[in-house]
Structures are given as C-alpha cells and as structure tokens.
mmCIF file of all heavy atoms in Angstrom:
data_model
loop_
_atom_site.group_PDB
_atom_site.id
_atom_site.type_symbol
_atom_site.label_atom_id
_atom_site.label_comp_id
_atom_site.label_asym_id
_atom_site.label_seq_id
_atom_site.Cartn_x
_atom_site.Cartn_y
_atom_site.Cartn_z
ATOM 1 N N ALA A 1002 -104.195 96.042 8.898
ATOM 2 C CA ALA A 1002 -105.085 97.146 8.794
ATOM 3 C C ALA A 1002 -105.000 98.129 10.092
ATOM 4 O O ALA A 1002 -105.161 99.392 9.838
ATOM 5 C CB ALA A 1002 -106.535 96.578 8.736
ATOM 6 N N TYR A 1003 -104.774 97.521 11.209
ATOM 7 C CA TYR A 1003 -104.633 98.483 12.464
ATOM 8 C C TYR A 1003 -103.394 99.296 12.250
ATOM 9 O O TYR A 1003 -103.432 100.495 12.665
ATOM 10 C CB TYR A 1003 -104.553 97.511 13.718
ATOM 11 C CG TYR A 1003 -104.652 98.341 14.938
ATOM 12 C CD1 TYR A 1003 -105.975 98.841 15.260
ATOM 13 C CD2 TYR A 1003 -103.638 98.537 15.871
ATOM 14 C CE1 TYR A 1003 -106.131 99.596 16.474
ATOM 15 C CE2 TYR A 1003 -103.706 99.176 16.953
ATOM 16 C CZ TYR A 1003 -104.951 99.789 17.379
ATOM 17 O OH TYR A 1003 -105.146 100.442 18.440
ATOM 18 N N GLY A 1004 -102.255 98.748 11.805
ATOM 19 C CA GLY A 1004 -101.010 99.529 11.647
ATOM 20 C C GLY A 1004 -101.210 100.540 10.581
ATOM 21 O O GLY A 1004 -100.768 101.799 10.778
ATOM 22 N N THR A 1005 -102.026 100.288 9.461
ATOM 23 C CA THR A 1005 -102.370 101.354 8.422
ATOM 24 C C THR A 1005 -103.186 102.472 9.072
ATOM 25 O O THR A 1005 -102.919 103.607 8.861
ATOM 26 C CB THR A 1005 -103.028 100.581 7.402
ATOM 27 O OG1 THR A 1005 -102.179 99.695 6.657
ATOM 28 C CG2 THR A 1005 -103.495 101.664 6.278
ATOM 29 N N GLN A 1006 -104.151 102.081 9.945
ATOM 30 C CA GLN A 1006 -105.051 103.092 10.658
ATOM 31 C C GLN A 1006 -104.210 103.914 11.539
ATOM 32 O O GLN A 1006 -104.502 105.094 11.748
ATOM 33 C CB GLN A 1006 -105.968 102.265 11.501
ATOM 34 C CG GLN A 1006 -107.048 103.118 12.291
ATOM 35 C CD GLN A 1006 -107.862 102.313 13.247
ATOM 36 O OE1 GLN A 1006 -108.200 101.184 12.842
ATOM 37 N NE2 GLN A 1006 -108.319 102.817 14.268
ATOM 38 N N LYS A 1007 -103.130 103.440 12.040
ATOM 39 C CA LYS A 1007 -102.232 104.319 12.927
ATOM 40 C C LYS A 1007 -101.135 104.995 12.102
ATOM 41 O O LYS A 1007 -100.152 105.526 12.618
ATOM 42 C CB LYS A 1007 -101.411 103.279 13.924
ATOM 43 C CG LYS A 1007 -102.397 102.675 14.896
ATOM 44 C CD LYS A 1007 -103.011 103.723 15.981
ATOM 45 C CE LYS A 1007 -104.079 103.128 16.760
ATOM 46 N NZ LYS A 1007 -104.558 104.179 17.863
ATOM 47 N N SER A 1008 -101.375 104.996 10.825
ATOM 48 C CA SER A 1008 -100.438 105.807 9.946
ATOM 49 C C SER A 1008 -99.062 105.220 9.770
ATOM 50 O O SER A 1008 -98.052 105.899 9.424
ATOM 51 C CB SER A 1008 -100.407 107.306 10.316
ATOM 52 O OG SER A 1008 -101.572 107.921 10.303
ATOM 53 N N LEU A 1009 -98.919 103.829 9.995
ATOM 54 C CA LEU A 1009 -97.645 103.120 9.776
ATOM 55 C C LEU A 1009 -97.616 102.630 8.390
ATOM 56 O O LEU A 1009 -98.690 102.217 7.902
ATOM 57 C CB LEU A 1009 -97.448 101.972 10.750
ATOM 58 C CG LEU A 1009 -97.474 102.460 12.294
ATOM 59 C CD1 LEU A 1009 -97.477 101.177 13.082
ATOM 60 C CD2 LEU A 1009 -96.375 103.364 12.577
ATOM 61 N N ARG A 1010 -96.403 102.672 7.731
ATOM 62 C CA ARG A 1010 -96.322 102.090 6.477
ATOM 63 C C ARG A 1010 -96.196 100.554 6.648
ATOM 64 O O ARG A 1010 -95.059 100.092 7.082
ATOM 65 C CB ARG A 1010 -95.127 102.654 5.777
ATOM 66 C CG ARG A 1010 -94.887 102.052 4.357
ATOM 67 C CD ARG A 1010 -93.721 102.780 3.718
ATOM 68 N NE ARG A 1010 -93.287 101.980 2.485
ATOM 69 C CZ ARG A 1010 -93.695 102.085 1.220
ATOM 70 N NH1 ARG A 1010 -94.564 103.080 0.936
ATOM 71 N NH2 ARG A 1010 -93.235 101.391 0.173
ATOM 72 N N MET A 1011 -97.088 99.728 6.275
ATOM 73 C CA MET A 1011 -97.051 98.240 6.426
ATOM 74 C C MET A 1011 -96.689 97.645 5.184
ATOM 75 O O MET A 1011 -97.253 97.812 4.102
ATOM 76 C CB MET A 1011 -98.429 97.796 6.811
ATOM 77 C CG MET A 1011 -99.098 98.484 8.083
ATOM 78 S SD MET A 1011 -98.107 98.462 9.536
ATOM 79 C CE MET A 1011 -98.324 96.703 10.036
ATOM 80 N N VAL A 1012 -95.660 96.736 5.228
ATOM 81 C CA VAL A 1012 -95.273 95.916 4.081
ATOM 82 C C VAL A 1012 -95.158 94.542 4.628
ATOM 83 O O VAL A 1012 -95.133 94.158 5.788
ATOM 84 C CB VAL A 1012 -93.788 96.478 3.566
ATOM 85 C CG1 VAL A 1012 -93.990 97.905 3.075
ATOM 86 C CG2 VAL A 1012 -92.729 96.315 4.637
ATOM 87 N N MET A 1013 -94.927 93.586 3.703
ATOM 88 C CA MET A 1013 -94.787 92.147 4.077
ATOM 89 C C MET A 1013 -93.806 91.418 3.376
ATOM 90 O O MET A 1013 -93.526 91.672 2.175
ATOM 91 C CB MET A 1013 -96.271 91.390 3.796
ATOM 92 C CG MET A 1013 -96.301 90.051 4.055
ATOM 93 S SD MET A 1013 -97.910 89.244 3.706
ATOM 94 C CE MET A 1013 -98.930 90.031 4.963
ATOM 95 N N ALA A 1014 -92.997 90.464 4.020
ATOM 96 C CA ALA A 1014 -92.091 89.575 3.481
ATOM 97 C C ALA A 1014 -92.689 88.121 3.498
ATOM 98 O O ALA A 1014 -92.945 87.704 4.610
ATOM 99 C CB ALA A 1014 -90.752 89.753 4.215
ATOM 100 N N THR A 1015 -92.790 87.578 2.343
ATOM 101 C CA THR A 1015 -93.309 86.232 2.206
ATOM 102 C C THR A 1015 -92.634 85.400 1.301
ATOM 103 O O THR A 1015 -91.807 85.873 0.462
ATOM 104 C CB THR A 1015 -94.838 86.383 1.794
ATOM 105 O OG1 THR A 1015 -95.353 85.047 1.423
ATOM 106 C CG2 THR A 1015 -94.983 87.183 0.522
ATOM 107 N N ASN A 1016 -92.764 84.100 1.350
ATOM 108 C CA ASN A 1016 -92.125 83.185 0.314
ATOM 109 C C ASN A 1016 -93.035 83.091 -0.949
ATOM 110 O O ASN A 1016 -92.633 82.640 -1.916
ATOM 111 C CB ASN A 1016 -91.820 81.791 0.945
ATOM 112 C CG ASN A 1016 -93.107 81.003 1.390
ATOM 113 O OD1 ASN A 1016 -94.130 80.969 0.655
ATOM 114 N ND2 ASN A 1016 -92.979 80.451 2.529
ATOM 115 N N GLY A 1017 -94.188 83.678 -0.894
ATOM 116 C CA GLY A 1017 -95.002 83.708 -2.132
ATOM 117 C C GLY A 1017 -95.911 82.639 -2.490
ATOM 118 O O GLY A 1017 -96.866 82.622 -3.153
ATOM 119 N N THR A 1018 -95.645 81.397 -1.812
ATOM 120 C CA THR A 1018 -96.388 80.279 -2.185
ATOM 121 C C THR A 1018 -97.892 80.285 -1.803
ATOM 122 O O THR A 1018 -98.629 79.433 -2.234
ATOM 123 C CB THR A 1018 -95.661 78.879 -1.688
ATOM 124 O OG1 THR A 1018 -95.611 79.022 -0.272
ATOM 125 C CG2 THR A 1018 -94.219 78.818 -2.147
ATOM 126 N N LEU A 1019 -98.134 81.033 -0.933
ATOM 127 C CA LEU A 1019 -99.562 81.090 -0.293
ATOM 128 C C LEU A 1019 -100.327 82.214 -0.780
ATOM 129 O O LEU A 1019 -101.427 82.403 -0.416
ATOM 130 C CB LEU A 1019 -99.455 81.131 1.199
ATOM 131 C CG LEU A 1019 -98.802 80.017 1.961
ATOM 132 C CD1 LEU A 1019 -98.920 80.072 3.558
ATOM 133 C CD2 LEU A 1019 -99.528 78.649 1.610
ATOM 134 N N VAL A 1020 -99.748 82.930 -1.625
ATOM 135 C CA VAL A 1020 -100.351 84.137 -2.196
ATOM 136 C C VAL A 1020 -101.195 83.825 -3.392
ATOM 137 O O VAL A 1020 -100.795 83.095 -4.309
ATOM 138 C CB VAL A 1020 -99.261 85.282 -2.708
ATOM 139 C CG1 VAL A 1020 -99.969 86.317 -3.370
ATOM 140 C CG2 VAL A 1020 -98.415 85.720 -1.541
ATOM 141 N N ASP A 1021 -102.490 84.266 -3.328
ATOM 142 C CA ASP A 1021 -103.365 84.046 -4.408
ATOM 143 C C ASP A 1021 -104.106 85.347 -4.567
ATOM 144 O O ASP A 1021 -104.033 86.295 -3.869
ATOM 145 C CB ASP A 1021 -104.266 82.697 -4.147
ATOM 146 C CG ASP A 1021 -105.079 82.996 -2.886
ATOM 147 O OD1 ASP A 1021 -105.267 84.000 -2.333
ATOM 148 O OD2 ASP A 1021 -105.554 81.877 -2.328
ATOM 149 N N GLU A 1022 -105.172 85.302 -5.458
ATOM 150 C CA GLU A 1022 -105.934 86.553 -5.701
ATOM 151 C C GLU A 1022 -106.695 86.987 -4.454
ATOM 152 O O GLU A 1022 -106.760 88.183 -4.288
ATOM 153 C CB GLU A 1022 -106.896 86.152 -6.950
ATOM 154 C CG GLU A 1022 -107.904 87.394 -7.292
ATOM 155 C CD GLU A 1022 -108.792 86.926 -8.440
ATOM 156 O OE1 GLU A 1022 -108.682 86.003 -9.105
ATOM 157 O OE2 GLU A 1022 -109.675 87.798 -8.653
ATOM 158 N N ALA A 1023 -107.339 86.141 -3.737
ATOM 159 C CA ALA A 1023 -108.087 86.586 -2.625
ATOM 160 C C ALA A 1023 -107.106 87.178 -1.556
ATOM 161 O O ALA A 1023 -107.352 88.231 -0.970
ATOM 162 C CB ALA A 1023 -108.656 85.299 -1.913
ATOM 163 N N LYS A 1024 -105.963 86.669 -1.272
ATOM 164 C CA LYS A 1024 -104.953 87.172 -0.390
ATOM 165 C C LYS A 1024 -104.490 88.536 -0.866
ATOM 166 O O LYS A 1024 -104.288 89.405 -0.050
ATOM 167 C CB LYS A 1024 -103.911 86.177 -0.043
ATOM 168 C CG LYS A 1024 -104.331 85.056 0.762
ATOM 169 C CD LYS A 1024 -103.127 84.195 1.340
ATOM 170 C CE LYS A 1024 -103.546 83.146 2.326
ATOM 171 N NZ LYS A 1024 -104.417 82.118 1.673
ATOM 172 N N VAL A 1025 -104.223 88.633 -2.063
ATOM 173 C CA VAL A 1025 -103.791 89.932 -2.617
ATOM 174 C C VAL A 1025 -104.909 91.050 -2.384
ATOM 175 O O VAL A 1025 -104.490 92.164 -1.921
ATOM 176 C CB VAL A 1025 -103.385 89.831 -4.115
ATOM 177 C CG1 VAL A 1025 -103.090 91.257 -4.696
ATOM 178 C CG2 VAL A 1025 -102.241 88.987 -4.405
ATOM 179 N N ARG A 1026 -106.111 90.668 -2.605
ATOM 180 C CA ARG A 1026 -107.171 91.728 -2.264
ATOM 181 C C ARG A 1026 -107.187 91.992 -0.843
ATOM 182 O O ARG A 1026 -107.299 93.375 -0.515
ATOM 183 C CB ARG A 1026 -108.532 90.961 -2.717
ATOM 184 C CG ARG A 1026 -109.771 91.825 -2.360
ATOM 185 C CD ARG A 1026 -109.619 93.367 -2.775
ATOM 186 N NE ARG A 1026 -109.245 93.545 -4.178
ATOM 187 C CZ ARG A 1026 -108.831 94.604 -4.678
ATOM 188 N NH1 ARG A 1026 -108.720 95.653 -3.939
ATOM 189 N NH2 ARG A 1026 -108.515 94.724 -5.955
ATOM 190 N N LYS A 1027 -106.889 91.046 0.039
ATOM 191 C CA LYS A 1027 -106.891 91.416 1.555
ATOM 192 C C LYS A 1027 -105.711 92.370 1.814
ATOM 193 O O LYS A 1027 -105.669 93.077 2.654
ATOM 194 C CB LYS A 1027 -106.837 90.130 2.342
ATOM 195 C CG LYS A 1027 -108.190 89.325 2.333
ATOM 196 C CD LYS A 1027 -108.082 88.068 3.098
ATOM 197 C CE LYS A 1027 -109.406 87.311 3.171
ATOM 198 N NZ LYS A 1027 -109.360 86.078 3.892
ATOM 199 N N MET A 1028 -104.521 92.023 1.130
ATOM 200 C CA MET A 1028 -103.301 92.880 1.273
ATOM 201 C C MET A 1028 -103.609 94.408 0.930
ATOM 202 O O MET A 1028 -103.405 95.223 1.769
ATOM 203 C CB MET A 1028 -102.193 92.375 0.369
ATOM 204 C CG MET A 1028 -101.529 90.979 0.805
ATOM 205 S SD MET A 1028 -100.415 90.482 -0.420
ATOM 206 C CE MET A 1028 -99.800 88.979 0.307
ATOM 207 N N ILE A 1029 -104.295 94.522 -0.107
ATOM 208 C CA ILE A 1029 -104.576 95.837 -0.719
ATOM 209 C C ILE A 1029 -105.542 96.495 0.267
ATOM 210 O O ILE A 1029 -105.383 97.704 0.807
ATOM 211 C CB ILE A 1029 -105.185 95.886 -2.032
ATOM 212 C CG1 ILE A 1029 -104.062 95.358 -3.007
ATOM 213 C CG2 ILE A 1029 -105.671 97.068 -2.494
ATOM 214 C CD1 ILE A 1029 -104.553 95.030 -4.510
ATOM 215 N N ASP A 1030 -106.539 95.773 0.752
ATOM 216 C CA ASP A 1030 -107.710 96.224 1.642
ATOM 217 C C ASP A 1030 -107.122 96.782 2.937
ATOM 218 O O ASP A 1030 -107.519 97.688 3.548
ATOM 219 C CB ASP A 1030 -108.810 95.314 1.729
ATOM 220 C CG ASP A 1030 -109.628 95.200 0.524
ATOM 221 O OD1 ASP A 1030 -109.468 95.981 -0.537
ATOM 222 O OD2 ASP A 1030 -110.343 94.119 0.316
ATOM 223 N N SER A 1031 -106.056 95.864 3.446
ATOM 224 C CA SER A 1031 -105.487 96.171 4.775
ATOM 225 C C SER A 1031 -104.368 97.252 4.759
ATOM 226 O O SER A 1031 -103.872 97.672 5.755
ATOM 227 C CB SER A 1031 -105.012 94.997 5.411
ATOM 228 O OG SER A 1031 -103.903 94.461 4.577
ATOM 229 N N GLY A 1032 -104.151 97.732 3.478
ATOM 230 C CA GLY A 1032 -103.102 98.857 3.363
ATOM 231 C C GLY A 1032 -101.673 98.449 3.212
ATOM 232 O O GLY A 1032 -100.806 99.243 3.352
ATOM 233 N N ILE A 1033 -101.394 97.195 2.911
ATOM 234 C CA ILE A 1033 -100.068 96.712 2.716
ATOM 235 C C ILE A 1033 -99.556 97.343 1.413
ATOM 236 O O ILE A 1033 -100.181 97.205 0.399
ATOM 237 C CB ILE A 1033 -99.950 95.168 2.580
ATOM 238 C CG1 ILE A 1033 -100.256 94.660 4.021
ATOM 239 C CG2 ILE A 1033 -98.543 94.796 2.110
ATOM 240 C CD1 ILE A 1033 -100.336 92.988 4.157
ATOM 241 N N GLN A 1034 -98.384 97.989 1.510
ATOM 242 C CA GLN A 1034 -97.973 98.835 0.378
ATOM 243 C C GLN A 1034 -96.885 98.110 -0.515
ATOM 244 O O GLN A 1034 -96.762 98.574 -1.672
ATOM 245 C CB GLN A 1034 -97.391 100.159 0.860
ATOM 246 C CG GLN A 1034 -98.461 100.967 1.626
ATOM 247 C CD GLN A 1034 -98.082 102.341 1.972
ATOM 248 O OE1 GLN A 1034 -97.391 102.996 1.196
ATOM 249 N NE2 GLN A 1034 -98.440 102.824 3.154
ATOM 250 N N ARG A 1035 -96.190 97.198 0.003
ATOM 251 C CA ARG A 1035 -95.277 96.487 -0.897
ATOM 252 C C ARG A 1035 -95.012 95.134 -0.269
ATOM 253 O O ARG A 1035 -95.142 94.920 1.005
ATOM 254 C CB ARG A 1035 -93.850 97.203 -0.925
ATOM 255 C CG ARG A 1035 -92.912 96.450 -1.936
ATOM 256 C CD ARG A 1035 -91.525 97.094 -1.838
ATOM 257 N NE ARG A 1035 -91.417 98.219 -2.674
ATOM 258 C CZ ARG A 1035 -90.301 98.680 -3.068
ATOM 259 N NH1 ARG A 1035 -89.182 98.292 -2.682
ATOM 260 N NH2 ARG A 1035 -90.219 99.821 -3.888
ATOM 261 N N VAL A 1036 -94.754 94.133 -1.152
ATOM 262 C CA VAL A 1036 -94.519 92.823 -0.640
ATOM 263 C C VAL A 1036 -93.143 92.316 -1.234
ATOM 264 O O VAL A 1036 -92.931 92.552 -2.417
ATOM 265 C CB VAL A 1036 -95.699 91.782 -1.195
ATOM 266 C CG1 VAL A 1036 -95.316 90.333 -0.788
ATOM 267 C CG2 VAL A 1036 -97.049 92.241 -0.619
ATOM 268 N N SER A 1037 -92.365 91.676 -0.445
ATOM 269 C CA SER A 1037 -91.200 91.089 -0.903
ATOM 270 C C SER A 1037 -91.333 89.608 -0.992
ATOM 271 O O SER A 1037 -91.930 88.953 -0.151
ATOM 272 C CB SER A 1037 -89.941 91.309 0.014
ATOM 273 O OG SER A 1037 -90.274 90.795 1.291
ATOM 274 N N ILE A 1038 -90.875 89.026 -2.072
ATOM 275 C CA ILE A 1038 -90.883 87.604 -2.416
ATOM 276 C C ILE A 1038 -89.451 87.043 -2.538
ATOM 277 O O ILE A 1038 -88.597 87.686 -3.246
ATOM 278 C CB ILE A 1038 -91.541 87.324 -3.785
ATOM 279 C CG1 ILE A 1038 -93.006 87.840 -3.866
ATOM 280 C CG2 ILE A 1038 -91.508 85.768 -4.044
ATOM 281 C CD1 ILE A 1038 -93.938 87.185 -2.921
ATOM 282 N N SER A 1039 -89.143 86.075 -1.865
ATOM 283 C CA SER A 1039 -87.804 85.486 -1.800
ATOM 284 C C SER A 1039 -87.594 84.516 -3.092
ATOM 285 O O SER A 1039 -88.355 83.627 -3.258
ATOM 286 C CB SER A 1039 -87.485 84.732 -0.509
ATOM 287 O OG SER A 1039 -87.479 85.559 0.599
ATOM 288 N N ILE A 1040 -86.645 84.934 -3.866
ATOM 289 C CA ILE A 1040 -86.228 84.044 -5.074
ATOM 290 C C ILE A 1040 -84.795 83.875 -4.977
ATOM 291 O O ILE A 1040 -83.926 84.719 -4.983
ATOM 292 C CB ILE A 1040 -86.621 84.737 -6.343
ATOM 293 C CG1 ILE A 1040 -88.083 85.014 -6.446
ATOM 294 C CG2 ILE A 1040 -85.951 83.897 -7.539
ATOM 295 C CD1 ILE A 1040 -88.918 83.712 -6.667
ATOM 296 N N ASP A 1041 -84.164 82.537 -4.818
ATOM 297 C CA ASP A 1041 -82.918 82.226 -4.621
ATOM 298 C C ASP A 1041 -82.290 81.478 -5.713
ATOM 299 O O ASP A 1041 -81.115 80.980 -5.596
ATOM 300 C CB ASP A 1041 -82.697 81.503 -3.234
ATOM 301 C CG ASP A 1041 -83.192 82.346 -1.976
ATOM 302 O OD1 ASP A 1041 -82.841 83.531 -2.008
ATOM 303 O OD2 ASP A 1041 -83.712 81.848 -1.094
#
C-alpha cells in the first residue's frame, strides 16, 4: 500500500498456496496490480 501511495507499480510473486479470498482482497486494496504464480 505504501508503494502504491508513492505511485510505484506493485506486483507480487508467490507460490500461490497461501492465497485465499481474504488475501486477494488485501492484494486489491493495497494496489497490487498483478500476481505471478509458479507452475512447474
């Protein structure tokens, strides 16, 4: 959120296993614009 406030484009790289509805809502609220998920 602080990075977004400073006009930075914030994205996240995660393995996806801890992502749920509540965390997605926090991602959106904090201004995260894209998330990468590792699939091998």
Side-chain angles (χ1 to χ4, degrees):
Y1003 192 71
T1005 299
Q1006 180 186 329
K1007 294 293 181 177
S1008 299
L1009 301 176
R1010 178 179 167 91
M1011 308 300 289
V1012 300
M1013 180 179 287
T1015 171
N1016 60 46
T1018 62
L1019 301 180
V1020 176
D1021 55 22
E1022 183 179 347
K1024 286 190 175 66
V1025 173
R1026 175 47 51 192
K1027 290 181 179 179
M1028 290 175 181
I1029 294 172
D1030 291 345
S1031 64
I1033 292 174
Q1034 298 185 39
R1035 181 186 280 192
V1036 177
S1037 67
I1038 302 288
S1039 298
I1040 298 290
D1041 296 320

